[in-house]
């Protein structure tokens, strides 16, 4: 049973979800004076946030749906180890969502989504810094840039429009040559002739540790964590009154739904039908890499990120559409290990760990950060696709604005849950 809110607080908020988004929501709500309880079926930072690639990049604003994707669908179905694949058994279920997803793969839509995401993510380092002691912030978060690598001019030319789009939105994307690539990352294979260096980007040394560092501040400020699986929500005419969990009933005052890929069913109960899908991602981590990698490296052609972390050198990426219940296909992680060897020829690939997690994605790649259309004491914060770590702190700040009824520093309308209601009605 949760504690009642203290008399000198504006109330109590229950946050469902203990990933990076839920943790940051809880922390920012405490800054407004709310008492908070976080509820999740696993310990903080141990679900999707655990296996994140660790990138914290204000320039990572591009949606998942991109121009030219339609012609790639046959290849997705035929290559189970490709950058994006759809399991045949899941195709009947995913097909309607996939069609909606592809409708957003135009240049106009990409520019619209990127503009909204840039506004959300540009202040992310400042937003994290507000939540962490200075020493922990500097230990857990690096601001040493991201290196994008290309084998030839044709690869760079294929990416030019998206690079220019990000530059036009204020991101520094600096063209560098072979010598500068070698200076930045000597261990990289010699196959890479051209690079783009994004100096304003960064990463975390451990996504799970970052979540737990934020949660440690929540606990220090009187917050609570309840490990429980939410089975249902008790409702009254004025709104939700309690969570029904496998550990008992949890009374509610106000509620934030930040349960990632598991949010759709609860959102429906709370007045919103959202086309939420899981884009399953894999990683492989090499605990004794035997090489020095200094920063995040992205190989654009393979759609993978490499990040040096405390647990080891991690390579993560790709998308698998197979739903929440299908067993992992760890051959996809093994394929990532092969790609890592192509990137870094001297990498010690022994004793790797493999992982699969669920990235919550909506067809337009924009998260929902909004009030429930039916219950004013409920705020939604889910659907952050591949950039939960890049946008978690900024989302927490916007959720606090919504809860107290304050105007935000950015336009929140692109993140409205009502955008789906309008499309469904149309």
């Amino acid at each position: 049973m949760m504690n009642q809110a203290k008399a000198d607080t504006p109330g109590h908020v229950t946050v469902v979800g203990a990933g990076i988004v839920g943790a940051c929501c809880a922390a920012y709500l405490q800054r407004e004076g709310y008492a908070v309880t976080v509820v999740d079926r696993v310990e903080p930072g141990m679900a999707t946030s655990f296996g994140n690639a660790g990138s914290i990049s204000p320039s990572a604003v591009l949606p998942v749906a991109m121009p030219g994707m339609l012609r790639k669908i046959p290849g997705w179905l035929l290559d189970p180890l490709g950058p994006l694949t759809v399991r045949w058994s899941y195709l009947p279920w995913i097909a309607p969502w996939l069609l909606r997803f592809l409708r957003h793969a135009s240049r106009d839509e990409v520019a619209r989504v990127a503009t909204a995401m840039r506004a959300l993510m540009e202040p992310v380092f400042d937003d994290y810094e507000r939540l962490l002691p200075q020493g922990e912030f500097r230990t857990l978060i690096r601001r040493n840039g991201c290196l994008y690598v290309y084998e030839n001019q044709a690869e760079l030319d294929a990416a030019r429009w998206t690079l220019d789009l990000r530059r036009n939105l204020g991101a520094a994307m600096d063209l560098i040559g072979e010598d500068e690539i070698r200076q930045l990352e000597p261990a990289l294979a010699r196959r890479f002739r051209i690079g783009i260096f994004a100096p304003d980007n960064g990463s975390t040394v451990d996504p799970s540790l970052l979540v737990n560092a934020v949660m440690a501040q929540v606990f220090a400020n009187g917050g609570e964590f309840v490990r429980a699986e939410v089975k249902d929500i008790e409702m009254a005419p004025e709104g939700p009154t309690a969570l029904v969990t496998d550990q008992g009933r949890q009374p509610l005052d106000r509620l934030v739904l930040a349960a990632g890929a598991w949010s759709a069913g609860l959102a429906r109960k709370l007045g919103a039908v959202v086309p939420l899908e899981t884009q399953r991602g894999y990683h492989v981590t090499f605990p004794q890499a035997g090489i020095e990698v200094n920063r995040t490296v992205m190989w654009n052609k393979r759609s993978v990120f490499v990040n040096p972390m405390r647990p080891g050198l991690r390579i993560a990426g790709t998308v698998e559409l197979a739903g929440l219940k299908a067993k992992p296909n760890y051959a996809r992680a093994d394929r990532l290990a092969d790609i890592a060897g192509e990137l870094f020829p001297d990498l010690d690939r022994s004793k790797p760990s493999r992982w699969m997690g669920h990235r919550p994605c909506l067809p337009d790649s924009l998260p929902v950060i909004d009030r429930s259309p039916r219950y004013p004491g409920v705020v939604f914060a889910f659907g952050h696709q591949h950039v939960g770590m890049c946008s978690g702190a900024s989302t927490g700040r916007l959720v606090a604005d919504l809860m107290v009824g304050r105007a935000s520093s950015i336009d929140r309308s692109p993140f409205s849950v009502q955008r789906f209601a309008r499309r469904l009605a149309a």
Side-chain angles (χ1 to χ4, degrees):
M1 186 73 67
M2 70 176 65
N3 292 338
Q4 295 300 310
K6 296 178 181 177
D8 58 351
T9 68
H12 185 282
V13 182
T14 301
V15 179
V16 178
I20 190 61
V21 173
C24 291
C25 289
Y28 268 101
L29 288 163
Q30 281 185 325
R31 290 169 63 91
E32 299 297 335
Y34 289 98
V36 298
T37 297
V38 180
V39 180
D40 204 325
R41 61 187 175 82
V42 296
E43 294 295 322
M46 294 305 294
T48 304
S49 292
F50 174 82
N52 190 284
S55 173
I56 301 178
S57 299
S59 68
V61 298
L62 300 177
V64 183
M66 294 295 290
M69 273 194 164
L70 182 60
R71 64 178 179 267
K72 298 179 182 179
I73 290 179
W76 295 352
L77 293 171
L78 294 172
D79 183 2
L81 303 182
L84 194 156
T85 190
V86 183
R87 288 200 191 179
W88 279 99
S89 60
Y90 197 58
L91 184 60
W93 302 100
I94 192 67
W97 185 93
L98 199 55
L99 290 173
R100 294 182 70 171
F101 169 78
L102 290 169
R103 284 202 290 268
H104 294 282
S106 68
R107 288 197 171 191
D108 286 347
E109 272 296 277
V110 170
R112 180 185 72 86
V113 171
T115 300
M117 292 304 290
R118 178 66 177 175
L120 175 65
M121 296 197 297
E122 189 172 10
V124 67
F125 289 107
D126 291 339
D127 288 338
Y128 274 121
E129 195 166 11
R130 293 186 182 99
L131 300 182
L132 296 168
Q134 192 60 236
E136 282 195 272
F137 176 81
R138 291 176 177 172
T139 298
L140 291 171
I141 293 178
R142 301 172 293 210
R143 300 188 66 173
N144 59 348
C146 175
L147 176 62
Y148 301 82
V149 292
Y150 307 85
E151 294 178 79
N152 51 54
Q153 187 65 40
E155 281 187 22
L156 180 65
D157 289 344
R160 191 171 299 281
W161 181 76
T162 60
L163 290 170
D164 288 343
L165 173 61
R166 286 184 281 181
R167 289 183 180 118
N168 291 338
L169 291 172
M173 310 290 287
D174 301 331
L175 180 66
I176 63 174
E178 285 185 76
D179 290 344
E180 291 168 290
I181 291 173
R182 305 293 161 248
Q183 291 170 18
L184 290 170
E185 298 297 343
L188 269 170
R190 299 290 174 174
R191 67 198 297 165
F192 300 109
R193 305 300 176 87
I194 304 169
I196 295 291
F197 183 59
D200 298 332
N201 290 353
S203 62
T204 176
V205 301
D206 190 321
S208 184
L209 278 182
L210 179 57
V211 174
N212 279 279
V214 175
M215 285 298 297
Q217 294 304 302
V218 171
F219 297 147
N221 292 323
E224 297 182 327
F225 173 70
V226 175
R227 182 170 178 177
E229 183 175 358
V230 179
K231 299 290 191 179
D232 200 356
I233 303 176
E234 287 184 11
M235 303 296 296
E238 66 276 10
T241 57
L243 300 178
V244 180
T245 82
D246 60 356
Q247 300 299 313
R249 184 176 181 273
Q250 296 285 330
L252 294 177
D253 178 11
R254 298 172 184 238
L255 177 65
V256 172
L257 178 58
W262 294 269
S263 297
L266 296 177
R268 181 184 292 269
K269 189 85 175 185
L270 296 165
V273 178
V274 290
L276 187 67
E277 185 54 57
T278 169
Q279 295 193 353
R280 295 150 59 105
Y282 291 78
H283 87 216
V284 59
T285 302
F286 302 98
Q288 299 171 337
I291 58 173
E292 184 175 353
V293 180
N294 301 304
R295 59 185 50 77
T296 303
V297 176
M298 183 187 182
W299 189 358
N300 205 56
K301 184 173 80 171
R302 302 291 193 196
S303 300
V304 297
F305 280 90
V306 178
N307 205 4
M309 294 186 176
R310 286 187 180 180
L313 188 68
R314 177 170 296 173
I315 180 167
T318 76
V319 170
E320 179 187 43
L321 298 173
L324 287 169
K325 296 180 180 179
K327 293 181 179 179
N329 175 13
Y330 283 120
R332 293 184 64 78
D334 296 336
R335 177 62 183 134
L336 290 174
D338 293 338
I339 293 172
E342 295 178 48
L343 275 162
F344 300 101
D346 297 326
L347 173 65
D348 182 348
R349 294 167 57 185
S350 62
K351 300 179 181 178
S353 64
R354 303 179 301 174
W355 176 89
M356 186 279 289
H358 295 279
R359 307 185 194 101
C361 197
L362 293 151
D364 59 4
S365 297
L366 290 167
V368 168
I369 310 171
D370 196 10
R371 286 187 185 277
S372 161
R374 196 172 296 169
Y375 307 113
V378 174
V379 174
F380 299 137
F382 55 80
H384 292 74
Q385 36 108 355
H386 299 238
V387 293
M389 205 61 57
C390 301
S391 56
S394 302
T395 296
R397 178 171 50 81
L398 295 188
V399 164
D401 291 342
L402 282 161
M403 195 63 78
V404 301
R406 179 174 57 225
S408 294
S409 59
I410 68 168
D411 178 11
R412 293 194 303 250
S413 62
F415 311 108
S416 169
V417 72
Q418 298 283 30
R419 71 190 194 264
F420 301 111
R422 287 195 295 269
R423 291 181 188 277
L424 288 171

